[in-house]
Amino acid sequence: MQKVLLFFILLAFGSCSNYGSVTPRKITIGFSQCTTQDEWRKTMIQEMRRETGFHPNYEIELIITDANDDNEKQIRDIRELMRGKLDLLIVSPNEAAPLTPIVEEVYDSGVPVIVIDRRIESEKFTSYIGGDNFIIGKEAALFASQLLKGKGKVLEVTGLAGSTPALERSFGFLDGLKEFPDIKVVRTVRGAWLKERTQAILDTILYSWSDFDLIYAHNDQMAYGAFLSAKKHNLKPYIIGVDGLHTSGHGIDMVLSGNIDGTFLYPTGGDKALDLALKILDGKPYSKFNYLQTIKIDYNNARAFKLQAAQLIDQQQKIDYQRKELGTMAFLLKKKEMLFILFTIISGLLSLLVIMSVCLIFQKNKANRAIDMKRKTIQDKNERITKQRDKLIQTLRVAEEATEAKIKFFTNVSHEIRTVLSLISFPVNQLSSDGGEFSEGKLQVLKKSVGRLLNLSNEILSFRGTNYNIKCRTSNLGACIGSIVSAFEQKALEKGLVLDTRIPSELEAYFDPSVIEKVLFNLLSNAIKYTPHGGKVEVKAVVVGGTITISISDSGIGISDEELPLIFDRFYRGNSNTTSNGESGTGIGLNFTRELIQLHGGEIKVESRENMGSVFTLYLPQENGYSRRVEKVENERNGIDELQKDLIKVNNKKKLLLVEDIEELRIFMSQMLMKHYVVITAKNGVEGFELANKCHPDIIVSDILMPEKDGIALCFDLKNNPSTFLIPVILLTAMESENSYIRSFETGADGYLTKPCNETTLLARINNLIESRERLKHEYGKTLFSLKDLKTKDKGDEAFVKNCLEEIYKEISDPNFNLIHLSRAVGMSRSSLYRKIKEVTGLKAVDFMRKARLQYAAKLLINCDMTVYEIAWQSGFSDVKYFSKLFLKEFGNLPKKFKDHSRHESVLP
């Protein structure tokens, strides 16, 4: 019954949650408008507000502020908007330079920013939307040429001095007039976007000057002010404006009334800005730059535009009315749905409460009976548990007494063993000192075995009262291992096994001889025990990177995959733990071995395949205090081991990548080179290429003849990879042929040596290449763009710098071309590009690009007659003041003084 009630309650709440799921998402958008006084910006705001009604899934709060053409007020408005926790900010900057810092601050705080109509002097914004003012300027130039029939004089009326639309419309107009050399801009007047200001300025000018044929105004309001002033002075020049608003008394009406000869549509983009904001907030794809289309409006098409606008307004009014009606109907429908849901819930709950009341009495009686039965069951269990507890306590007492008796017995027996061994050791020592034939082989082994048994008996006697302590000292580990292995030679000979050793004769290390003795005795004993007649047991020891690796391998019965993870567990004896002779282990030795190695600061690992043998590998620190566990030194399948990573982090030595397929030679060379460098090893070209990309070594030494990928192919791949082509490569080979020599240098190798190469020669060649590379970086930092010096440097670095400069100079006049575009152009990631520029030039990537632009501007100042303003624009600087500031810092002179001085003497290399 309770389940039924729960079902209906969940169903009711589910209905409510479904109803609530249609609640619109709340979004707050701030719009900082530079001014709301002109009709064009009023239209933009109307479009934004109208667009909010077309998104029923959102509850949009649009907060609009008016800066009244005041930069400081607009900055204060934006800060006030940010205190209200906006989801997104839309900004129409009054002027570019003063508004850039506050827009960057908002963008850096994590709030998306849409810049509309006017640009800022930075790319720290989420997206831009507005007309392409440069294209509008070019179209105006084309229209002017048509009106003037290719010849005449133009009076230009610009907008606000610091606003990007004014700059871009002017640059576009001048760029468009380049195709019409007989049309000149004879005078420029700053109208600041205002009709009254334009009329007042022209009234003053036209009293004494009227030598022009056409007026190009940056908006329709200034064009109308120019018309009124020209009419006042009985002048009838051609007049071109920009904006093309369809509202009464504005752009299109001016064309139809003959006040101006034409205008260009400059869409407000208010509706598109709001739609773009929702895309950004929803995480949908969007473009960084969104340019709105323009079109020329003259007397021929003005009436058609006027009629279309009137129809659109009428349709919009109808849509607004229908939307309002739909909203009312939707509200009523939701209200009815809510009432129906509430009625359903109340009816269901009442019905269930009646049914529940009937059932509760029955369930209560049933529960009481069940409780009585459980109470009785618990009492019975408590009694049984009490009896079991008493029995376990008695059993533990017996076990403790038995254990004590076993230890006492074990101690007594060990003492007796020690007595017997003492009696044996005296005559054995005498026989060994006689030097007879019998003592040279078997007696020497017997003597060492007796010593071993004596040590074990000492430990058994001290077992009860002490813990095992590690007592390390610096000694020859190679001699210690050799002595231990020699004790098993006779046993291996008797069993017909080959006992092979590869142990350095001089291997100084910090270790406890007793620990090494116990571990190796146990591992060698097992290896010989479980290897059948005619098999092989091998012991190897090498040192790589401060870690000693000792391996004991056999060709015995091996260990199955199921048993392999369990062999180090105490008292574990698997199915494979019995030899063909019926010998069986206790399951204690390997567990004890692992504990000893861990106490010694090392690690033990095992690899085995059933019926194919096993390999036990020990990893021990060579020096005192280095007790961190390390990965297997020759485990090169994953590229670089953990020990090498740690060494690279803490060592100030240069990194050297050694690529060699012969294991013994690889180990020998790494031991030789690690005295001077941090050595990373790879066993073929494939692993070498991966490690070069991952670790970025200072130099690479590689063999030529290798499997999978040889050294020449590796060198070719490295020199054709943008992230590795700067790394010097030395190739080694045992084949001294002219063809190999030529192929090596054709692929870009920096050095070529034949085996066997002299250690001094190899180290000298490595040092020379690294020092040459360091000098190259130093020189590039001083004279970055001196092509004369570049020809004398490394070809890879010269190609890299030239490639970067070529891509920058291709787009030198585009102020929006940045490091993101450069990284795409040269085919590198941003992080790789930044790192390579820093390595080669010593400069940050942003300083590198700025220096390239300033060098370009300096050459233009020397060789061209353009103004400083034009040269700044051609060099990719949209703000002349900012350009002059950077130029002064770079060359110690302002651009104009630099240009005057350069006429007498050269200042660039």
Side-chain angles (χ1 to χ4, degrees), residues 483-503:
S483 174
I484 295 168
V485 173
S486 64
F488 289 89
E489 291 177 350
Q490 185 62 35
K491 186 173 182 180
L493 183 64
E494 292 174 356
K495 199 171 179 180
L497 304 179
V498 175
L499 182 57
D500 190 13
T501 58
R502 298 183 185 180
I503 305 166

Side-chain angles (χ1 to χ4, degrees), residues 373-385:
M373 293 179 64
K374 287 181 179 179
R375 186 184 296 113
K376 185 177 180 181
T377 303
I378 291 171
Q379 290 176 350
D380 294 338
K381 287 183 177 180
N382 285 336
E383 293 175 0
R384 288 198 299 270
I385 290 171

Side-chain angles (χ1 to χ4, degrees), residues 475-485 511-514 516-517 520:
S475 184
N476 187 349
L477 180 60
C480 178
I481 297 172
S483 174
I484 295 168
V485 173
F511 66 98
D512 185 338
S514 65
I516 301 301
E517 182 181 272
L520 292 183

Side-chain angles (χ1 to χ4, degrees), residues 523 552 554 559 563-568 590 603-609 613-619:
L523 295 178
I552 298 93
D554 62 70
I559 307 168
E563 297 175 354
L564 195 61
L566 306 173
I567 62 171
F568 290 109
L590 288 178
E603 188 175 4
I604 181 170
K605 291 187 177 181
V606 60
E607 296 178 3
S608 182
R609 293 182 64 182
S614 304
V615 179
F616 285 83
T617 307
L618 308 176
Y619 300 98

Side-chain angles (χ1 to χ4, degrees), residues 275-312:
D275 183 66
L276 176 61
L278 295 179
K279 284 185 178 179
I280 293 171
L281 293 175
D282 285 344
K284 295 180 180 178
Y286 64 91
S287 299
K288 175 89 172 179
F289 297 96
N290 305 272
Y291 293 105
L292 305 176
Q293 298 298 318
T294 187
I295 190 170
K296 180 182 74 175
I297 301 173
D298 57 15
Y299 190 82
N300 297 321
N301 60 3
R303 191 169 301 279
F305 275 98
K306 183 71 174 179
L307 291 174
Q308 287 179 352
Q311 291 176 356
L312 287 173

Side-chain angles (χ1 to χ4, degrees), residues 341-631:
I341 291 171
L342 290 173
F343 176 78
T344 303
I345 293 172
I346 293 171
S347 300
L349 289 174
L350 289 173
S351 300
L352 290 172
L353 286 172
V354 172
I355 298 171
M356 194 66 182
S357 299
V358 176
C359 295
L360 280 176
I361 298 173
F362 174 78
Q363 289 184 351
K364 181 180 178 181
N365 295 331
K366 184 178 180 181
N368 288 335
R369 291 193 298 269
I371 290 171
D372 291 337
M373 293 179 64
K374 287 181 179 179
R375 186 184 296 113
K376 185 177 180 181
T377 303
I378 291 171
Q379 290 176 350
D380 294 338
K381 287 183 177 180
N382 285 336
E383 293 175 0
R384 288 198 299 270
I385 290 171
T386 302
K387 292 179 181 179
Q388 290 174 356
R389 183 197 60 190
D390 295 337
K391 186 176 181 180
L392 285 173
I393 292 173
Q394 184 64 27
T395 303
L396 286 173
R397 289 173 181 171
V398 173
E400 287 177 357
E401 293 174 359
T403 302
E404 186 68 24
K406 289 178 182 179
I407 293 175
K408 184 176 181 180
F409 173 77
F410 189 50
T411 304
N412 293 335
V413 171
S414 298
H415 185 270
E416 293 300 323
I417 293 174
R418 178 176 175 80
T419 302
V420 174
L421 290 175
S422 298
L423 294 173
I424 294 174
S425 68
F426 179 73
V428 167
N429 289 334
Q430 283 187 333
L431 288 172
S432 178
S433 63
D434 291 341
E437 181 180 351
F438 184 70
S439 65
E440 291 179 359
K442 295 181 180 180
L443 285 182
Q444 190 66 26
V445 174
L446 184 59
K447 179 181 178 182
K448 292 178 181 179
S449 299
V450 168
R452 167 65 178 156
L453 290 173
L454 283 170
N455 290 337
L456 288 175
S457 66
N458 287 332
E459 290 169 15
I460 292 171
L461 287 171
S462 61
F463 173 75
R464 293 183 62 189
T466 61
N467 292 324
Y468 202 92
N469 293 320
I470 298 295
K471 298 179 181 179
C472 295
R473 65 174 185 268
T474 302
S475 184
N476 187 349
L477 180 60
C480 178
I481 297 172
S483 174
I484 295 168
V485 173
S486 64
F488 289 89
E489 291 177 350
Q490 185 62 35
K491 186 173 182 180
L493 183 64
E494 292 174 356
K495 199 171 179 180
L497 304 179
V498 175
L499 182 57
D500 190 13
T501 58
R502 298 183 185 180
I503 305 166
S505 58
E506 295 294 331
L507 180 55
E508 187 175 276
Y510 189 78
F511 66 98
D512 185 338
S514 65
V515 169
I516 301 301
E517 182 181 272
K518 294 177 182 61
V519 170
L520 292 183
F521 259 90
N522 187 44
L523 295 178
L524 279 169
S525 176
N526 287 344
I528 293 174
K529 182 192 300 184
Y530 296 111
T531 302
H533 182 81
K536 180 179 179 181
V537 176
E538 184 178 35
V539 181
K540 293 193 300 184
V542 295
V543 181
V544 177
T547 298
I548 300 171
T549 304
I550 305 172
S551 62
I552 298 93
S553 59
D554 62 70
S555 59
I557 62 176
I559 307 168
S560 67
D561 293 339
E562 294 79 10
E563 297 175 354
L564 195 61
L566 306 173
I567 62 171
F568 290 109
D569 293 347
R570 192 167 180 82
F571 302 118
Y572 177 78
R573 291 187 292 174
N575 296 327
S576 60
N577 202 29
T578 304
T579 66
S580 57
N581 298 328
E583 299 181 62
S584 177
T586 64
I588 298 176
L590 288 178
N591 177 268
F592 186 49
T593 296
R594 183 176 65 176
E595 290 179 355
L596 289 174
I597 289 298
Q598 290 174 344
L599 284 173
H600 205 281
E603 188 175 4
I604 181 170
K605 291 187 177 181
V606 60
E607 296 178 3
S608 182
R609 293 182 64 182
E610 198 167 5
N611 299 321
M612 296 187 67
S614 304
V615 179
F616 285 83
T617 307
L618 308 176
Y619 300 98
L620 298 171
Q622 186 177 14
E623 298 179 358
N624 184 19
Y626 198 152
S627 60
R628 186 185 61 81
R629 295 186 184 183
V630 297
E631 298 293 329

